[in-house]
Amino acid sequence: MTRKLITPTRRTLLKGGAAAALSAPFINHAWAQDVTYDGEVFDAGGATLNIGEWGGGWEEFVRAALVDQFEEDFNCTVNWDSSFPWFPKFVTQGPQDPVFDICNWNLPNLTQTKQAGDYFLTTDEVRENVPNAANCWEFAFASGTGITWAYMPYVYAYRTDIEGGPVDSFRAFWEERFAGKRGTYGTENGLMHAFFMATAREFGEDQYDMQAAFAALEEAMPMKVSEFTFNMLSLIERGEVDIAVHIEGEALSLQRKGVPMDVWLWDSRPILTQTKTISRYADPMQKRLAFALMNRTLSPEFLNAFGDEFLWRPTNSEARITQVLAEAGVENTPEAVEAFWVPDWDFFVENKLEITDRLNRIFGL
Amino acid sequence: MTERAIPWPMMALAVVGFAYMLLPIFVVVLAGLTAGEFLTFPPEGLSLRWVAAFLQSEKYLSAFFFSFRLALMTMVVATILGTAAALFLARSDVVGKAALRAFFLSPVVLPGVVVGFALFAFFIYSGMGLSRTIWGLWIGHILYSTPYVIGTVGAALAAYDDSLEEAARSLGASPWRAFRKVTLPNISQGIQAGSIFAFIVSFGQFEVSLFLSAPNAEPLPIAMYNSLRYQFDPSAAAAGIFAITLVIASVLLTNRLVNIRRLLERQQGQ
């Protein structure tokens, strides 16, 4: 759905006033839909912006590289909440009273929330008010809501000190040499969701072929099931896992520490994404600040710094690929990003209960 | 006085039980002292680098001291409420006392996530402005910690002979004076134990905090969880060392204070 955003005029003000008289509780929300942003710095008068974002080292870096300066420039305070999960918080508080003004997501959780109600501005509505979005690759808008600002291709992370040579195909995960030393994730982890969809695509007709995926994953058992990607890295480092589902940057961070391992990008090229949404019914000032923060997030300056720190790739075509990835031949060009695709998370969420139940049985959980 | 012999199977079970309880502490301490990059056990060499990283982390330190303050505030309120509730349950003849006791203890029986989410939903519904605030989090911690005080004070009251207070009353003491001078000293061990429990439960509370914690005010368990989620470096275990140290110190300090008080009482009595 595309909605034309308008700047308030005298006529719309009068109309708004009349509407407010009839519908007082929604006065702020009616206004909020008409907020626009052109990329300029403005004085927010000490307003507070509520954001949902990851914590830990991620928070420390993003605060230092982005948020601290943002607060100073826009005269605002950022309320940072890292107590995931976001979905129950959004749903409990309802769309009209959003728990966060701007929120960072993995797509499966975002899709689940998006399906639950009218929580977020559409991609088109955000694009019109975020100038830096004009330079983003098309897959940055695949979610239909919010904008994806960084991504990583899914990979196999594997030890190179084992027999059999480098991994060179998606089905290598099932090779006998990796028996008992395969690693994947619990059923609530987005990497497991993506692995499931990619497995369906590889062994079945397409990403929707669930039965083919179940059968293939049963074949791969026993697997070591981890909850977090960094925990998986420790299993690889210790040799408890020889091949694991992973994401490019984090896996390469282990290689940089001298562990004999390498990564292989899945040839179907699905990607893990970081996507920010803006709440439809945020108050006007908060919504304007959210646009501004989204714009800063998509700026090449921040994306370059973020890529250098965490090895994520930028979705902004004007940003550069960090040195480590560039040396490995990674580029940020139309040809280089052409093959990337985002799994159909709407399908996954609609079938999540069945998939989760079956995978838990396969994992013996 | 000769010591009673303990049957060796009981002794063996006791040793296994202690080892079982102490093993996680042992693992956390060693994992926090690893020289390696990840939170693993056994550690890859010993080093203080992650302890230093914890001490230099603004995020961890603020979370640690926030949890400390929160646990102290929780302990004070939970001790007062829990003691009052235990006295009420022990001394009143209200109909349905057993059901009331079960009701008071229900926060402990329910999964913490359920309690946390229920409070979160209630705060939003009530519109009191408590959702995702420090005060809302405090209420959640009090709710979850108070049953421990009720339990320990209730046990102390069960072992307490009510006739002592009745004797004080018959000798002219007012109800408040009889309670303060006779009952309170006799159940003080239970109150102290309950308050320590309340402090420890609040300090280590994760599930309730998951839904109730306020922006920019992260309790230590949430900060540790986030660290494990996004870094998995051993600084979380190093934080655990400080948490364990704090809990042990608080227990030892309380014991020490109790002993000093007893010593003073004895000296006054001589």
Side-chain angles (χ1 to χ4, degrees):
Chain A
M1 185 186 76
T2 305
R3 234 190 102 261
K4 178 73 178 159
L5 296 177
I6 54 169
T7 308
T9 62
R10 186 170 173 275
R11 185 180 295 273
T12 55
L13 286 176
L14 291 170
K15 278 185 179 174
L22 294 171
S23 181
F26 301 109
I27 183 167
N28 283 341
H29 303 140
W31 272 101
Q33 290 173 18
D34 291 334
V35 168
T36 59
Y37 178 66
D38 58 7
E40 295 298 313
V41 173
F42 61 89
D43 185 347
T48 299
L49 182 69
N50 290 306
I51 71 172
E53 253 281 24
W54 314 133
W58 180 292
E59 177 182 351
E60 283 181 299
F61 178 83
V62 175
R63 272 191 185 275
L66 177 71
V67 171
D68 290 348
Q69 189 63 47
F70 180 83
E71 286 178 319
E72 197 177 316
D73 290 348
F74 289 85
N75 184 24
C76 67
T77 303
V78 169
N79 258 354
W80 186 298
D81 190 336
S82 57
S83 298
F84 190 77
W86 317 135
F87 172 70
K89 292 187 176 182
F90 267 98
V91 171
T92 307
Q93 205 145 318
Q96 305 280 338
D97 183 21
V99 63
F100 304 122
D101 304 308
I102 181 168
C103 189
N104 194 44
W105 301 81
N106 288 326
L107 279 185
N109 302 115
L110 168 57
T111 305
Q112 190 179 15
T113 313
K114 184 184 74 175
Q115 289 183 0
D118 185 24
Y119 290 94
F120 311 117
L121 294 181
T122 64
T123 297
D124 291 339
E125 288 169 319
V126 178
R127 284 175 87 165
E128 288 181 48
N129 291 283
V130 176
N132 282 329
N135 298 320
C136 288
W137 302 116
E138 201 51 37
F139 63 82
F141 313 109
S143 66
T145 183
I147 298 179
T148 295
W149 56 278
Y151 70 101
M152 274 194 198
Y154 290 102
V155 299
Y156 286 143
Y158 65 96
R159 288 191 68 96
T160 50
D161 55 356
I162 52 167
E163 290 181 2
V167 168
D168 57 4
S169 76
F170 189 80
R171 295 190 184 219
F173 190 82
W174 281 260
E175 287 174 6
E176 187 56 33
R177 59 178 166 145
F178 295 121
K181 293 220 163 183
R182 304 181 183 105
T184 188
Y185 301 91
T187 49
E188 282 305 312
N189 190 303
L191 270 78
M192 185 61 229
H193 303 163
F195 186 45
F196 177 80
M197 303 284 272
T199 302
R201 182 162 154 158
E202 175 73 22
F203 288 89
E205 290 179 9
D206 50 32
Q207 61 174 321
Y208 308 109
D209 196 340
M210 295 196 296
Q211 297 311 318
F214 290 136
L217 290 171
E218 263 178 333
E219 285 269 310
M221 289 298 289
M223 292 188 276
K224 291 216 164 54
V225 178
S226 171
E227 291 304 321
F228 308 126
T229 49
F230 279 101
N231 185 34
M232 186 63 79
L233 291 184
S234 76
L235 294 176
I236 295 170
E237 185 196 27
R238 294 155 62 89
E240 290 181 39
V241 163
D242 282 343
I243 187 169
V245 174
H246 224 286
I247 42 177
E248 180 187 57
E250 285 184 12
L252 285 173
S253 69
L254 187 61
Q255 192 184 45
R256 289 165 83 184
K257 288 171 181 169
V259 176
M261 54 84 65
D262 207 346
V263 301
W264 179 80
L265 265 68
W266 297 353
D267 45 9
S268 64
R269 295 287 188 269
I271 51 172
L272 174 71
T273 57
Q274 294 297 327
T275 303
K276 282 190 175 175
T277 57
I278 294 175
S279 294
R280 174 171 297 286
Y281 297 102
D283 286 333
M285 180 57 81
Q286 277 66 26
K287 188 180 278 188
R288 200 161 171 229
L289 280 170
F291 284 137
L293 185 61
M294 178 83 90
N295 198 46
R296 288 258 173 125
T297 305
L298 289 170
S299 69
E301 295 75 27
F302 172 69
L303 291 174
N304 291 345
F306 189 80
D308 290 342
E309 179 73 14
F310 294 111
L311 306 187
W312 283 79
R313 298 185 187 191
T315 59
N316 187 331
S317 60
E318 301 293 312
R320 62 169 169 75
I321 294 288
T322 190
Q323 188 67 24
V324 176
L325 296 178
E327 285 170 1
V330 175
E331 295 178 332
N332 192 24
T333 62
E335 299 75 30
V337 302
E338 194 179 25
F340 289 128
W341 62 285
V342 177
D344 185 346
W345 295 119
D346 282 302
F347 169 83
F348 182 87
V349 169
E350 281 157 17
N351 294 279
K352 191 179 177 188
L353 283 179
E354 183 187 345
I355 294 170
T356 303
D357 182 53
R358 185 78 182 272
L359 286 179
N360 278 334
R361 273 188 279 147
I362 290 171
F363 294 160
L365 299 172
Chain B
M1 194 176 78
T2 55
E3 284 185 13
R4 279 190 208 162
I6 302 170
W8 72 263
M10 292 297 288
M11 181 70 90
L13 272 176
V15 170
V16 170
F18 277 124
Y20 179 72
M21 287 190 289
L22 291 175
L23 191 63
I25 295 174
F26 179 70
V27 170
V28 166
V29 171
L30 281 184
L33 296 175
T34 184
E37 295 289 333
F38 295 108
L39 181 56
T40 56
F41 186 84
E44 298 167 3
L46 293 176
S47 161
L48 289 174
R49 62 182 286 207
W50 298 109
V51 173
F54 168 81
L55 292 172
Q56 288 165 1
S57 167
E58 191 186 327
K59 190 83 191 148
Y60 264 133
L61 285 181
S62 64
F64 183 86
F65 288 113
F66 174 71
S67 274
F68 182 73
R69 289 195 299 271
L70 181 66
L72 270 184
M73 288 160 57
T74 301
M75 183 185 80
V76 170
V77 178
T79 301
I80 294 168
L81 289 180
T83 302
L87 280 165
F88 174 78
L89 288 171
R91 295 185 170 180
S92 74
D93 295 322
V94 66
V95 180
K97 205 162 79 169
L100 206 56
R101 183 185 299 276
F103 177 73
F104 276 135
L105 297 177
S106 61
V108 181
V109 180
L110 290 169
V113 171
V114 175
V115 174
F117 182 74
L119 273 177
F120 175 66
F122 174 72
F123 289 156
I124 291 168
Y125 171 77
S126 64
M128 291 188 291
L130 289 170
S131 128
R132 298 169 59 247
T133 63
I134 292 171
W135 307 115
L137 180 65
W138 187 32
I139 290 171
H141 277 227
I142 291 168
L143 188 71
Y144 210 72
S145 303
T146 304
Y148 291 92
V149 183
I150 296 174
T152 54
V153 177
L157 283 167
Y160 170 62
D161 185 355
D162 284 339
S163 62
L164 290 174
E165 190 172 316
E166 286 164 11
R169 291 295 312 282
S170 69
L171 291 170
S174 67
W176 169 240
R177 187 176 170 81
F179 173 75
R180 195 163 53 86
K181 291 288 185 184
V182 179
T183 304
L184 203 55
N186 277 287
I187 63 169
S188 65
Q189 298 279 351
I191 295 173
Q192 284 157 8
S195 64
I196 292 172
F197 269 131
F199 179 86
I200 293 170
V201 166
S202 170
F203 192 81
Q205 181 51 248
F206 173 78
E207 303 98 322
V208 171
S209 304
L210 193 61
F211 282 103
L212 298 178
S213 63
N216 303 332
E218 215 171 39
L220 186 64
I222 299 288
M224 290 165 77
Y225 173 70
N226 282 329
S227 171
L228 292 176
R229 235 179 110 83
Y230 307 114
Q231 286 171 299
F232 210 71
D233 67 35
S235 56
I241 293 174
F242 284 90
I244 290 166
T245 306
L246 177 70
V247 168
I248 292 173
S250 64
V251 172
L252 291 178
L253 183 67
T254 309
N255 277 342
R256 185 83 184 155
L257 288 173
V258 171
N259 289 340
I260 287 171
R261 202 199 64 201
R262 281 185 186 158
L263 191 66
L264 288 172
E265 281 172 356
R266 272 192 222 131
Q267 283 176 341
Q268 283 170 352
Q270 282 170 358

